[in-house]
């Protein structure tokens, strides 16, 4: 038992988690811009709704260049969220500048085309240059393969400041999630998505949750 406890403590110390930028105390009035980035289905639309409910005075801007259908309109109505749907980067920047002028926090829900790597990196480059307080969070799914998630994190590792893992409640291989995190340990885990319901099915990332699930504690 002592050896097992020692191993757990060692593993826990290797799991890197952080609070999101929007939740930290700000010493100035510069609004925080939080950008969620993903490609194929990863639960990002639902996660954006959950985060928006947690934020104060937030403007949500969704970028869907291929006119993908948007879910969770029910959550938008129930929680009276201010959401704009845009199809181009220029429209996104226009909406964001208006919100910045009004001193509002911004949540960008950006779904990019997996086959257009140059386009996605152009979007992220523009965001990095345009906003003083920007946090980019990659969204991956615990039900996707480890290989696919590795591809996503490798592709965006130079742009992202943190990782959100969705569908933790449906994960069948927490060992793969932990292995993935160890290989990209410089990028902290921020949130876990634990279901579809906004705003309930979200929790701050923690080493304890991953290890408890992995060892069935």
């Amino acid at each position: 038992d002592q050896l097992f406890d020692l191993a757990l403590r060692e593993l826990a110390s290797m799991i890197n988690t952080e609070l999101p930028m929007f939740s930290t105390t700000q010493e100035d009035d510069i609004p925080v811009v939080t950008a969620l980035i993903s490609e194929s289905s990863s639960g990002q639309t639902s996660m954006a709704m959950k985060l928006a409910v947690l934020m104060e005075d937030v403007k949500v801007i969704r970028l869907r260049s291929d006119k993908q259908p948007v879910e969770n309109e029910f959550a938008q109505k129930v929680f009276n969220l201010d959401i704009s749907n845009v199809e181009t980067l220029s429209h996104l920047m226009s909406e964001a500048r208006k919100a910045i002028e009004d001193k509002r926090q911004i949540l960008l829900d950006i779904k990019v085309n997996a086959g257009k790597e140059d386009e996605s990196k152009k979007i992220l480059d523009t965001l990095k240059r345009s906003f003083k307080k920007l946090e980019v969070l990659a969204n991956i799914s615990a039900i996707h393969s480890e290989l696919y998630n590795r591809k996503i994190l490798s592709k965006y590792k130079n742009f992202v400041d943190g990782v959100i893992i969705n569908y933790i409640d449906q994960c069948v291989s927490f060992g793969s999630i932990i292995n993935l995190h160890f290989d990209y340990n410089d990028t902290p885990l921020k949130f876990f998505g634990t279901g579809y319901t906004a705003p309930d099915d979200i929790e701050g990332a923690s080493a304890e949750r991953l290890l408890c699930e992995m060892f069935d504690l």
Side-chain angles (χ1 to χ4, degrees):
D1 287 345
Q2 290 181 341
L3 181 60
F4 183 66
D5 289 342
L6 178 62
L8 282 180
R9 288 197 296 270
E10 183 66 21
L11 286 171
S13 69
M14 297 169 64
I15 296 175
N16 181 13
T17 63
E18 280 185 5
L19 292 173
M21 184 184 294
F22 70 79
S23 71
T24 59
T25 302
Q26 303 297 324
E27 297 179 354
D28 52 45
D29 60 353
I30 300 175
V32 173
V33 179
T34 304
L36 308 185
I37 184 85
S38 68
E39 293 184 356
S40 63
S41 179
S42 64
Q44 179 170 295
T45 301
S46 174
M47 177 56 66
M49 295 295 95
K50 298 168 192 174
L51 292 177
V53 175
L54 295 178
M55 296 178 176
E56 294 183 2
D57 192 22
V58 61
K59 171 72 175 183
V60 181
I61 306 173
R62 293 190 185 120
L63 175 62
R64 299 290 188 275
S65 58
D66 54 0
K67 299 182 180 180
Q68 298 172 352
V70 177
E71 303 173 353
N72 285 295
E73 297 300 336
F74 178 75
Q76 177 181 355
K77 294 177 181 177
V78 168
F79 297 105
N80 194 30
L81 300 175
D82 182 4
I83 301 177
S84 293
N85 297 297
V86 302
E87 297 177 15
T88 65
L89 177 58
S90 59
H91 191 182
L92 180 151
M93 294 304 298
S94 175
E95 292 289 332
R97 290 190 181 100
K98 293 176 186 176
I100 290 288
E101 290 175 359
D102 293 335
K103 305 295 185 183
R104 302 180 68 190
Q105 293 192 88
I106 300 174
L107 178 61
L108 305 178
D109 176 7
I110 302 171
K111 188 67 70 70
V112 295
N113 189 317
K116 297 181 179 179
E117 185 170 345
D118 290 342
E119 177 184 347
S120 61
K121 290 185 176 180
K122 175 186 175 182
I123 292 171
L124 293 172
D125 275 331
T126 300
L127 297 180
K128 289 282 188 182
R129 293 195 307 268
S130 302
F131 302 114
K132 292 182 179 179
K133 288 188 176 180
L134 172 71
E135 183 171 52
V136 180
L137 304 178
N139 275 248
I140 61 174
S141 168
I143 58 177
H144 283 162
S145 70
E146 181 179 343
L147 182 62
Y148 178 80
N149 285 332
R150 283 181 182 276
K151 184 185 77 170
I152 295 298
L153 294 186
S154 175
K155 182 175 180 179
Y156 296 109
K157 64 182 179 181
N158 294 327
F159 296 94
V160 300
D161 305 293
V163 175
I164 294 173
I165 305 178
N166 286 301
Y167 302 123
I168 284 287
D169 56 311
Q170 300 179 45
C171 182
V172 296
S173 179
F174 280 89
S176 296
I177 293 295
I178 290 176
N179 288 338
L180 178 70
H181 175 61
F182 285 169
D183 286 346
Y184 293 91
N185 194 255
D186 289 341
T187 307
L189 303 177
K190 299 283 184 169
F191 289 101
F192 295 150
T194 58
Y196 293 96
T197 305
D200 298 326
D201 295 336
I202 182 176
E203 62 184 54
S206 67
E208 290 75 17
R209 176 63 186 265
L210 291 182
L211 295 177
C212 284
E213 295 286 358
M214 182 177 179
F215 293 106
D216 195 23
L217 300 175

